[in-house]
Amino acid sequence: MSDRLRIALQKKGRLAEDSFALLKKCGLRFSIRGGGLLARVKNMPIDLLLVRDDDIPSFVANNAADIGIVGENVLVEEQLTAKSTLDANISMRLGFSRCKLCLAASETGPVQSAKDLQGTTIATTYPGVTARYLKESGITAKLVEMKGAVELAPSIGIAESICDLVSSGATLEANGLAAFETILDSEAVLIGSGRELSPERADTLDKLLNRIAGVLKSADSKYIMLNAPKDAVGKITSLLPGSDAPTIMPLAGQDDLVAIQAVCTETVFWETLEGLKALGARAILVLPIEKMMS
Ligand code: ATP
Ligand code: ZN
């Protein structure tokens, strides 16, 4: 039996490119070509299953895949609407494909806020998450499930409001709608099941999870180098965002100056650099970090 780890990924769409890019940054070599369902990773015992995003939670739950990458919105919806408990849970948040599931309505219509929803009809592709919100809010409303083009529902008289994914709000605006309530914040997540894996697959998964954690950590991290007056070292190091134990070294021929180097695990803003300069720091360099392992 093959002991390759199987990862379910969206074949094409708003999750696909970033999912492939993440795995490539983790050192996996593969090419996605043609219409195939399966792509083999050349340099690790991993197979990629390329499917529709909606199928990913059940693929993981039903053992067609060991892990998957999917939008949290889809995972939660599948969990809420599955006939029996779905054995698929978040093992890591990935930070890309961020979007929100929002309630929205026409700015001139009868629904302006959540309190107007009572007794109305809501069109959505997310009946599970919407019903959970209504229940938690003590609102009774009718749900109409649509497979797409939800934003057209109010104008054709199907519903007074909609519950749909929003990232920039441009699609809503183009249809004369405005969001009035966020019911779920979503990002891409790595999901797994409670099943035990063979030692070989568990080993591959462990390595992959460590690499993903390293990629996510290094994405925001920067290596910062600067020269500082000796008497300002305390103030300067306390300004470095998310760094512990910076390296402090003497500078040849400069008794009043030291060189400071540190890994900053949080975003280094221009304002931070301006603050450092105001404290006397000079020759400030901010360098990207390609890989990290701790
Ligand atoms: P499929 O054919 O795989 O079923 P789909 O049409 O259902 O694809 P996409 O539009 O590709 O789905 O969106 C996939 C996921 O990407 C969504 O479920 C959501 O998590 C996320 N997403 C949706 N809209 C955006 C957006 N505008 N920006 C970033 N991420 C988004
Ligand atoms: Zn889908």
Side-chain angles (χ1 to χ4, degrees), residues 28-49:
L28 278 64
R29 285 178 30 224
F30 56 90
S31 68
I32 309 287
R33 261 194 243 116
L37 172 73
L38 199 76
R40 279 172 82 88
V41 174
K42 296 182 187 99
N43 57 339
M44 280 173 88
I46 299 176
D47 287 336
L48 308 179
L49 258 64

Side-chain angles (χ1 to χ4, degrees), residues 10-23:
Q10 190 191 29
K11 186 184 184 73
K12 202 163 158 258
R14 288 173 154 147
L15 281 164
E17 293 309 318
D18 285 346
S19 302
F20 300 150
L22 175 65
L23 296 179

Side-chain angles (χ1 to χ4, degrees), residues 125-286:
T125 32
Y126 293 88
V129 188
T130 312
R132 180 178 71 174
Y133 165 82
L134 293 174
K135 190 166 175 228
E136 284 171 0
S137 312
I139 298 167
T140 310
K142 193 178 156 207
L143 291 182
V144 174
E145 186 177 352
M146 292 176 72
K147 293 289 176 202
V150 175
E151 62 282 355
L152 299 178
S155 63
I156 55 177
I158 293 176
E160 287 90 352
S161 65
I162 66 168
C163 185
D164 204 10
L165 280 186
V166 177
S167 55
S168 70
T171 311
L172 288 182
E173 206 178 310
N175 287 281
L177 303 174
F180 59 84
E181 181 97 1
T182 298
I183 69 167
L184 183 80
D185 280 299
S186 178
E187 65 187 278
V189 290
L190 190 114
I191 59 171
S193 77
R195 276 187 315 276
E196 202 174 324
L197 297 178
S198 70
E200 292 84 354
R201 286 191 204 192
D203 204 45
T204 309
L205 178 59
D206 197 44
K207 198 181 258 181
L208 181 66
L209 291 179
N210 272 317
R211 291 190 186 183
I212 294 176
V215 169
L216 297 180
K217 203 168 162 203
S218 65
D220 269 344
S221 297
K222 294 282 181 274
Y223 197 77
I224 192 162
M225 302 167 70
L226 54 85
N227 294 342
K230 260 186 186 156
D231 55 7
V233 167
K235 278 189 179 155
I236 284 181
T237 52
S238 70
L239 259 196
L240 299 174
S243 78
D244 41 54
T247 308
I248 300 175
M249 290 168 293
L251 273 169
Q254 308 250 19
D255 286 346
D256 52 339
L257 287 179
V258 288
I260 300 179
Q261 300 185 359
V263 172
C264 293
T265 56
E266 291 161 27
T267 314
V268 180
F269 294 105
W270 280 109
E271 287 76 5
T272 311
L273 301 189
E274 286 153 6
L276 292 169
K277 192 174 173 203
L279 289 169
R282 292 294 179 269
I284 308 170
L285 287 180
V286 181

